[in-house]
Amino acid sequence: MSRCAPDAPCIVALIPAYNEQDRIADTVHAVLSIECVDRVIVIDDGSQDYTAHVAEQAGAKAVRNARNVGKGGALNEAARRSEDADIILLLDGDLGKSAAQAITLLEPVIANEADMTIATFPAAGKAGFGLVKDLATKAIVRTGAGFFPTAPLSGQRALTRECLDAILPFASGYGAEVTLTVRALRAGFRLLEVETTMTHAATGRDLSGFIHRGKQYIDVWWAIRKL
């Protein structure tokens, strides 16, 4: 039964996390502060720290992967554990207190104004060169659905059970979001971007940042090829 009201939809938040012990507690607390969220499931994707333990202490149900399988694989595991949910929240583990803004993603879906909402983030200094974002945007626009995203790689989303079932399984790695969007548009679902001031750990222009974006580009490119 929902914490909102007896006749309210069951809402479950799914949070894949890897080595997020410093941020995951704030993220879980923030999501649980949203009254209509019934529970939070954190998928510890083979972390080498105490992510799962900290998440459980914060009030989440923690699922531990023995090895790192990537974001898409972690979300597939989470989806199997949320079959009773009417509405699903997909959130990153590093949002911290700003995760409370997920309510703005939920409201249009609860009101049946959208089948999937996508969070946009405030404009910030360019950490990368926009190559991955451009690649994802072009793939989404090519669906011909008339949806022109400003945040094609955003992992912060709310969607209906019907929409989730139609797009499963999630693509592997960092291709999960673009695949999710393209499949939903092809199936005729209504997508809506929602402006937020959420924040997360940005990737810089150092060596680790370039390696991260390189892997992200390859994953997105491969996901588009499969689509």
Side-chain angles (χ1 to χ4, degrees):
M1 183 177 294
S2 172
R3 295 191 300 166
C4 280
D7 58 347
C10 176
I11 300 175
V12 178
L14 308 180
I15 305 178
Y18 177 68
N19 291 340
E20 291 290 355
Q21 67 176 18
D22 294 335
R23 291 172 175 263
I24 194 64
D26 282 345
T27 302
V28 171
H29 285 145
V31 178
L32 288 174
S33 74
I34 303 171
E35 292 186 359
C36 58
V37 173
D38 290 275
R39 67 181 187 276
V40 175
I41 301 175
V42 172
I43 305 84
D44 179 357
D45 192 24
S47 294
Q48 299 170 335
D49 62 7
Y50 295 99
T51 294
H53 175 73
V54 175
E56 287 180 332
Q57 291 296 307
K61 165 68 176 177
V63 177
R64 296 173 176 84
N65 287 341
R67 61 183 180 85
N68 183 267
V69 298
K71 186 173 186 178
L75 285 171
N76 283 325
E77 176 64 28
R80 288 191 288 271
R81 297 172 181 267
S82 59
E83 293 181 348
D84 61 328
D86 301 305
I87 298 174
I88 299 91
L89 262 177
L90 305 178
L91 299 170
D92 291 340
D94 62 354
L95 294 173
K97 294 179 181 179
S98 72
Q101 293 185 46
I103 184 61
T104 65
L105 296 174
L106 288 169
E107 287 170 343
V109 179
I110 293 172
N112 195 28
E113 296 169 356
D115 302 303
M116 181 195 299
T117 53
I118 305 167
T120 66
F121 283 64
K126 286 185 74 66
F129 299 102
L131 297 177
V132 187
K133 180 178 179 180
D134 289 346
L135 179 68
T137 299
K138 289 176 181 176
I140 293 167
V141 171
R142 279 199 300 270
T143 63
F147 182 68
F148 301 91
T150 60
L153 300 172
S154 176
Q156 326 317 314
R157 305 184 181 217
L159 62 160
T160 65
R161 164 59 56 185
E162 181 183 8
C163 185
L164 178 64
D165 288 344
I167 59 86
L168 288 175
F170 288 97
S172 62
Y174 297 105
E177 286 83 12
V178 65
T179 301
L180 173 60
T181 302
V182 170
R183 287 177 177 167
L185 290 171
R186 286 178 175 174
F189 290 103
R190 301 164 297 164
L191 273 60
L192 175 68
E193 287 192 326
V194 177
E195 185 176 344
T196 75
T197 56
M198 287 181 176
T199 58
H200 61 87
T203 304
R205 287 195 175 191
D206 55 8
L207 178 59
S208 63
F210 286 122
I211 292 173
H212 170 82
R213 280 187 290 275
K215 185 177 188 324
Q216 189 179 35
Y217 187 95
I218 292 170
D219 284 355
V220 171
W221 179 86
W222 188 243
I224 292 170
R225 284 290 302 271
K226 288 184 176 180
L227 285 168

